[in-house]
Amino acid sequence: MARYPAVACFAMGRPVFALALAAAGATLLAGAPAGARGVSPPAHLAAGGSSSGGPALTLLSQSPWVGPGQSMQLRLGLGGAPASAASITFTLFSHLTSRSAFAETAGGTAVGNSLGSSTVQASTLAPDPQGGVDVTVPVESGDAAAAGTGAFTANLDCAAGSCGGVYPLRVQLSVAGGTRTSLITYLVYANPPADTQRLRLALVMPLSLPLGGPGRAVPQVQDTALDTLDNLDEAMSAHSAAPLTLYPEPASVAALAASSHPKAKSALAGLQSLSGQPGRQVLTGPYVPVDPDALSAAGLEGELVQQVRRGGQALAPLRGGGRTWVVPGPITASSVSAVESLGYDRLALPVSDVVQGGGPSLTITQPFTLSAGRGVTATAAEMDGELASDMAAGTGGTTFLAAYRMLADLALVYYEQPNALSPRGVLVLPSAGALPAAGFVDTVLAALGTDPLVAPVTVDQLFTDVPTAPSTRRLASASSSSSLPAKQIRDGRARLMAFSTAVDAAAAPVVRSLDDLLLSSENSQLRAAQQQQAVAAFTGALSGELHTVSIRADTIKLTSTAAKVPITITKQSAYGVTAVLRISGDKVVFPAGAAQDPGPVCRSPSVRSSAGRSTFSCVAAIGHATNAVYVDMRARATGDFRLVVTLTSPSGGLVLATTHVTVHSMSTSLVAVGLSLAALLVLLVWWGRTWWRRHPPGRGAHVRRRQPSQVA
């Protein structure tokens, strides 16, 4: 596996080894469609902090939380600014009381009262081997006095037992010449009771490859994406004790399995190893992201079944399973019923899919019963959009700042209802195209291993550990519409099914590849034009397979009335083909099927005549490059005429090959010969009689003439 540089982070005052991705800005879903990209990170995070044009101040690591008598450790990058010419100002603000206030601080705006501020020269701080500086911040609270000394003492100004919370900490870098940059991170103070119910966190990691090819519908096996996948795998594998849910896209896993690229094989092996670790769950779903409502509106309900079937096949090596369906967008009651019929009785929903109540704006931290209307209900959990935004920010130079921001956000959710008697939990799924860097994942998982406020769980554990809320919530109204090329998909499915009946087991990879192309065209993240291009790619691929079988268009000469005529079928594919061969014409007669002996290629020959047209058919097993079928026939006339020859799938509905064979008949029948001889005889008799009449024999030619004297 690829290695990436290591930096130190600090948990509860103790150094913890953390991994960081050198090219932290790379995301595995860089090729996702524009319309499917995730939430953009806040402006100050996108740049690493607010700036007036000076060197960028970055957070390299920090203590995820501190307890009584502990100090917060920070490691800061100065963006190349010399420490001798730089100063750093620390300002601590009062603890946050709402997530909306937290979002303001994430946007770079300080919220609340200032609890203290101090400026130190960067040159007085301990230099860091990575090129930054290390900062120690002693923390003084009502629970314990500050221990030791540091650049700045954080006085929480709280009474004993009431100090727990999330405190914004603004760090500002000033460089000689007047330039300044700043960032806001968080001091999380944790002193919960030993028996506290920690907040359950079901972190779902989607894994997929960028899309490309016709319509940008096919996962692309590329070096950059494979390196990113390898780094993420290493980061997750390094923390095998932390429960985690994987949500790999089946189409991407299938692409890895089909690729001969060494890195693809390594990535697939890594995923298989990762999925086999204790505490890891792999969610299955459709082969590509689909909208069940769009499929239903297009009359393609059967395609949802095909999507789930193929998705399960692709993820079988990763031990995929589970009862939870991840809903990427709007959903209706009919779709809830459809996915339930496929075995998914739990839903992971975006917040927008549920009607929000008018009560206190606390985070939803329990699964609930969803009423979808028309008597349809399901158990559901909301996917936390704000935490997903935290993850979306975990790229580039903001990798670690975003990671600690997410940990602080989770702590704030805990402190909304601290020390609750009943377990609570949240579910987080990054938006498509917004998967964070490996350094982000490593930092978060490392901290969760000993977090006193948050406990990682799998999705299944979230639904079983956290009790379902007693109240029922309603599904938000959503309209069903579809831009899918329904007719093309429906026709494509029928042709593919017919093709599958015509080929043997050796063609299974070909059939699967064609099926994958058709399923990929249904991706809900594609635009309508892209879906049409993807269907066209499937049609072209199927036509290419059909062109491997052909019937030779020969000219056949008949020199007698009846003859055994050869029909030649050629095959270029490596798999065998079974098809129905039909030969028909209106100037030939085929003897009855029992009298036919077409050879080993054909079986079950039969003959049918209708409306003056005779048709021979048989089931042809085409297993060689050249295959000959011998058909007995009798010409009804002399001269040139054509026979129509077709190969169709056994189930019908798909023509594999068709051509015309020209027959040149030079034969003469005995009847015709007899009639011709009789006509000739009649003609000869007529000629003879005519000649006889015109040339009668001379009468009395040999009689002696009478003498005149003998006449009276």
Side-chain angles (χ1 to χ4, degrees):
M1 291 186 178
R3 295 285 176 183
Y4 40 89
V7 299
C9 69
F10 300 88
M12 301 295 289
R14 299 184 301 274
V16 179
F17 187 72
L19 300 174
L21 182 64
T27 59
L28 189 57
L29 292 174
R37 297 193 183 277
V39 181
S40 299
H44 91 288
L45 288 180
S50 61
S51 173
S52 60
L57 174 67
T58 56
L59 177 68
L60 300 178
S61 68
Q62 72 168 69
S63 304
W65 64 88
V66 294
Q70 294 178 333
S71 297
M72 181 181 187
Q73 305 292 335
L74 293 167
R75 177 165 294 168
L76 302 172
L78 305 183
S84 59
S87 63
I88 303 175
T89 301
F90 301 91
T91 305
L92 184 69
F93 296 87
S94 57
H95 70 84
L96 298 169
T97 57
S98 68
R99 294 187 76 188
S100 59
F102 184 91
E104 288 188 58
T105 62
T109 301
V111 175
N113 299 322
S114 171
L115 299 180
S117 181
S118 178
T119 300
V120 297
Q121 294 299 313
S123 59
T124 65
L125 301 173
D128 180 75
Q130 300 293 328
V133 293
D134 292 338
V135 182
T136 298
V137 180
V139 178
E140 182 173 341
S141 69
D143 298 324
T149 60
F152 166 64
T153 297
N155 188 340
L156 304 186
D157 191 23
C158 57
S162 64
C163 298
V166 178
Y167 297 78
L169 176 63
R170 184 174 63 198
V171 184
Q172 186 176 71
L173 172 67
S174 300
V175 182
T179 58
R180 295 185 303 175
T181 58
S182 66
L183 58 82
I184 294 180
T185 186
Y186 305 90
L187 187 158
V188 176
Y189 185 86
N191 187 24
D195 60 349
T196 188
Q197 287 285 358
R198 292 189 292 167
L199 178 72
R200 271 60 167 182
L201 168 65
L203 181 59
V204 183
M205 292 296 296
L207 302 170
S208 64
L209 296 169
L211 299 179
R216 295 183 61 82
V218 180
Q220 302 296 294
V221 179
Q222 302 171 344
D223 282 343
T224 302
L226 294 175
D227 289 341
T228 304
L229 184 59
D230 199 34
N231 287 326
L232 283 168
D233 172 68
E234 185 174 0
M236 291 184 285
S237 297
H239 305 285
S240 58
L244 184 66
T245 301
L246 306 178
Y247 188 42
E249 183 190 60
S252 293
V253 175
L256 292 175
S259 175
S260 59
H261 197 302
K263 288 185 178 180
K265 295 183 180 298
S266 174
L268 183 60
L271 288 176
Q272 291 173 335
S273 175
L274 182 64
S275 64
Q277 292 177 344
R280 300 295 159 90
Q281 179 184 359
V282 178
L283 291 181
T284 59
Y287 183 68
V288 296
V290 295
D291 181 352
D293 286 314
L295 291 173
S296 177
L300 299 171
E301 294 86 350
E303 288 302 297
L304 182 61
V305 178
Q306 297 292 339
Q307 287 279 352
V308 172
R309 172 196 59 79
R310 182 66 181 110
Q313 287 179 348
L315 296 187
L318 305 185
R319 306 168 184 84
R323 300 156 49 190
T324 303
W325 180 273
V326 177
V327 181
I331 192 170
T332 63
S334 61
S335 290
V336 174
S337 297
V339 298
E340 282 186 335
S341 68
L342 296 173
Y344 296 91
D345 58 353
R346 296 168 176 168
L347 303 177
L349 296 164
V351 176
S352 58
D353 277 2
V354 184
V355 175
Q356 302 300 313
S361 56
L362 297 178
T363 303
I364 301 299
T365 54
Q366 285 182 275
F368 52 89
T369 299
L370 178 71
S371 174
R374 296 187 293 181
V376 178
T377 60
T379 301
E382 278 188 358
M383 296 184 289
D384 194 291
E386 293 172 75
L387 290 169
S389 296
D390 296 340
M391 297 191 73
T395 60
T398 67
T399 296
F400 304 107
L401 178 61
Y404 294 112
R405 176 197 174 197
M406 179 176 176
L407 293 167
D409 201 356
L410 288 166
L412 185 59
V413 175
Y414 168 85
Y415 279 119
E416 284 184 336
Q417 301 178 65
N419 307 325
L421 297 177
S422 181
R424 299 183 300 129
V426 290
L427 190 154
V428 186
L429 174 68
S431 303
L435 193 64
F440 177 101
V441 175
D442 176 77
T443 300
V444 170
L445 293 182
L448 290 175
T450 54
D451 196 311
L453 306 177
V454 182
V457 295
T458 64
V459 169
D460 278 356
Q461 289 171 338
L462 177 73
F463 278 102
T464 56
D465 291 358
V466 180
T468 302
S471 58
T472 298
R473 303 179 66 192
R474 291 185 297 110
L475 186 68
S477 59
S479 59
S480 297
S481 61
S482 174
S483 60
L484 287 167
K487 184 179 184 304
Q488 294 94 317
I489 292 175
R490 191 178 299 108
D491 291 347
R493 176 62 61 189
R495 297 183 72 209
L496 178 58
M497 292 181 66
F499 176 77
S500 66
T501 67
V503 295
D504 62 15
V510 174
V511 175
R512 185 165 54 246
S513 176
L514 292 170
D515 186 30
D516 291 349
L517 282 175
L518 185 60
L519 293 174
S520 295
S521 70
E522 300 163 6
N523 193 327
S524 58
Q525 297 178 353
L526 302 179
R527 298 188 300 272
Q530 292 175 317
Q531 292 170 337
Q532 292 173 352
Q533 291 171 9
V535 175
F538 158 80
T539 302
L542 178 57
S543 297
E545 295 300 324
L546 297 181
H547 287 160
T548 63
V549 179
S550 61
I551 305 167
R552 189 179 297 167
D554 295 329
T555 297
I556 301 172
K557 294 183 179 181
L558 296 182
T559 57
S560 61
T561 304
K564 188 179 287 290
V565 175
I567 302 296
T568 303
I569 304 170
T570 61
K571 178 180 71 71
Q572 300 173 0
S573 63
Y575 51 83
V577 176
T578 299
V580 177
L581 173 67
R582 288 187 175 87
I583 308 169
S584 64
D586 56 1
K587 294 185 179 181
V588 294
V589 174
F590 298 102
Q596 294 283 352
D597 183 17
V601 172
C602 269
R603 66 177 187 270
S604 305
S606 64
V607 174
R608 179 175 55 86
S609 297
S610 176
R613 193 173 187 85
S614 185
T615 301
F616 167 89
S617 64
C618 71
V619 178
I622 307 166
H624 303 286
T626 302
N627 307 266
V629 177
Y630 300 93
V631 183
D632 290 305
M633 67 175 66
R634 186 176 69 250
R636 292 177 175 174
T638 59
D640 293 343
F641 51 89
R642 295 196 304 177
L643 300 177
V644 179
V645 185
T646 60
L647 281 172
T648 58
S649 60
S651 63
L654 180 65
V655 176
L656 305 181
T658 184
T659 191
H660 291 91
V661 173
T662 301
V663 177
H664 180 59
S665 176
M666 299 180 295
S667 61
T668 305
S669 67
L670 293 177
V671 174
V673 172
L675 291 175
S676 298
L677 291 175
L680 179 60
L681 180 60
V682 171
L683 183 61
L684 290 174
V685 171
W686 180 79
W687 280 345
R689 292 183 62 186
T690 301
W691 184 86
W692 184 268
R693 288 175 180 174
R694 291 181 179 178
H695 305 282
R699 294 182 180 180
H702 302 288
V703 178
R704 195 173 48 184
R705 292 180 179 271
R706 291 183 179 181
Q707 297 297 323
S709 58
Q710 295 177 339
V711 178

